[in-house]
Amino acid sequence: MADRRLQVFHAVARHGSFTRAAEALFMTQPAVTFQIKQLEEQFNTRLFDRGHGRVTLTAAGDMVMAYAERILGLTEELESRVSELTGELSGILHLGTSTTIAGYWLPCLLEGFKRRYPLVVPRVSVGNSHLIESRVMDRNLDVGLIEIVTEEPTLDRVAAGQDELQLIVAPGHPLAAEKSVRAEQMVGYPLLHREPGNGIRDLVDQFFIAAGIPLEDLNVTAELGSLSSVKHMAAQGFGIAVASSAAIRSEVASGALVGVPLNPPLYTPLEVILLKDKFRSRLVSSFADFVVEEIARLSSERN
């Protein structure tokens, strides 16, 4: 097993902060400081420079970090290999998902996976697709589920499926009776946009650009980080929005919202991403394979 002091050192180095490392490790800050002090005393040198609210690695710290990455990676691999020999999959799965996937795909995915592997403990982080992508690249997550097609060369990506995007409006809105809507028809109406970095926002922006409409011509009335806020504001008549068809199914069924297909059709990808050079345990591989199979099954049922 890896030395606890090395684990704490690794967390401080990655977060650039004793406070954030303590939060990530569920430790107190004094306990983190004590572990780093012990490690520095063992090597008889400073490992961090402290100042301006952030800590940075010294030259010695850079060397220790390189070895820490290797030692902790081998420890993880050892634990996984032994666990695989003992039978049923178990352990913590560090999973990150976009907000839409978290709200409308993840519950079914986790239910099915937990029924198959009850000893696995999913530890889920939720954020926009770009944030989840960066956290997988930083080795903070084992696997990510996102709504963008990543172009990062350090990542492996698997296309799990896609979801149609639709215009959502309140019943009685002038566009509610349309069979489909073009970008030109949407210009001028107040637009409830997602926050920068959101995968669906990127797709919507490209939808307008492809139609020759400059983004500065859009009448953006709000930028919202919560899909539930987007749906609520749209249902109350504060603007139009674009959302995943999976995310609006219940509101459309209840009559709170109207979903109108876009012309041309627009789809959001559902992608599984993993870091190429990170050891991939049977647990991580099994979950990634399960997601691809389950999204395909769920999509066929919903269609």
Side-chain angles (χ1 to χ4, degrees):
M1 301 295 292
D3 190 307
R4 180 60 171 170
R5 295 171 298 176
L6 207 57
Q7 294 173 331
V8 173
F9 165 82
H10 184 264
V12 174
R14 295 209 66 82
H15 290 281
S17 163
F18 282 73
T19 302
R20 288 197 293 273
E23 292 171 352
L25 295 170
F26 302 100
M27 297 172 63
T28 64
Q29 185 170 333
V32 168
T33 302
F34 177 73
Q35 296 280 359
I36 297 301
K37 182 181 178 182
Q38 280 199 326
L39 197 61
E40 289 181 326
E41 288 177 352
Q42 177 180 333
F43 291 123
N44 194 31
T45 187
R46 284 188 304 107
L47 300 176
F48 292 104
D49 285 323
R50 300 155 174 84
H52 305 292
R54 184 173 176 82
V55 295
T56 56
L57 289 168
T58 63
D62 279 326
M63 181 180 294
V64 174
M65 183 61 173
Y67 279 94
E69 292 272 8
R70 292 161 61 185
I71 292 168
L72 294 174
L74 285 171
T75 298
E76 179 184 356
E77 183 175 347
L78 171 62
E79 292 173 350
S80 178
R81 294 299 191 197
V82 172
S83 176
E84 289 169 7
L85 289 174
T86 61
E88 188 173 2
L89 283 182
S90 63
I92 296 175
L93 176 69
H94 296 275
L95 167 66
T97 82
S98 70
T99 51
T100 298
I101 293 175
Y104 303 96
W105 292 95
L106 189 63
C108 291
L109 294 174
L110 289 184
E111 178 189 356
F113 196 72
K114 283 286 291 184
R115 287 187 186 279
R116 188 176 298 184
Y117 304 110
L119 298 181
V120 173
V121 180
R123 184 171 290 171
V124 181
S125 300
V126 179
N128 65 48
S129 291
H130 289 291
L131 175 63
I132 298 304
E133 180 185 56
S134 67
R135 294 200 65 199
V136 172
M137 293 172 63
D138 288 342
R139 300 176 181 269
N140 291 316
L141 295 172
D142 297 320
V143 58
L145 307 180
I146 60 175
E147 298 167 89
I148 57 175
V149 177
T150 182
E151 297 180 357
E152 293 292 341
T154 60
L155 295 177
D156 279 331
R157 52 168 288 266
V158 181
Q162 62 180 16
D163 195 7
E164 184 181 3
L165 298 180
Q166 293 188 342
L167 174 73
I168 58 172
V169 294
H173 190 279
L175 296 178
E178 298 289 334
K179 292 185 177 179
S180 65
V181 292
R182 302 182 309 278
E184 301 84 31
Q185 295 173 267
M186 297 163 60
V187 176
Y189 290 108
L191 175 64
L192 301 165
H193 222 358
R194 296 302 302 270
E195 80 283 7
N198 180 273
I200 289 179
R201 178 191 174 117
D202 292 344
L203 289 170
V204 172
D205 285 348
Q206 290 302 316
F207 179 74
F208 284 108
I209 291 171
I213 299 170
L215 297 182
E216 54 267 26
D217 287 355
L218 301 181
N219 181 16
V220 177
T221 189
E223 294 182 337
L224 303 169
S226 162
L227 180 56
S228 60
S229 297
V230 171
K231 294 192 292 183
H232 177 79
M233 296 285 282
Q236 297 303 312
F238 285 101
I240 66 173
V242 175
S244 155
S245 59
I248 62 171
R249 187 168 285 108
S250 61
E251 289 82 2
V252 170
S254 69
L257 285 171
V258 175
V260 185
L262 299 174
N263 184 12
L266 188 63
Y267 298 91
T268 179
L270 304 174
E271 300 269 315
V272 180
I273 58 171
L274 306 109
L275 193 61
K276 284 183 178 179
D277 66 353
K278 183 178 181 180
F279 167 71
R280 202 166 298 171
S281 67
R282 187 162 66 94
L283 169 56
V284 171
S285 297
S286 297
F287 180 76
D289 293 340
F290 175 83
V291 167
V292 175
E293 296 169 5
E294 192 69 357
I295 285 181
R297 184 185 70 81
L298 293 171
S299 297
S300 63
E301 286 183 358
R302 291 174 178 180
N303 292 333

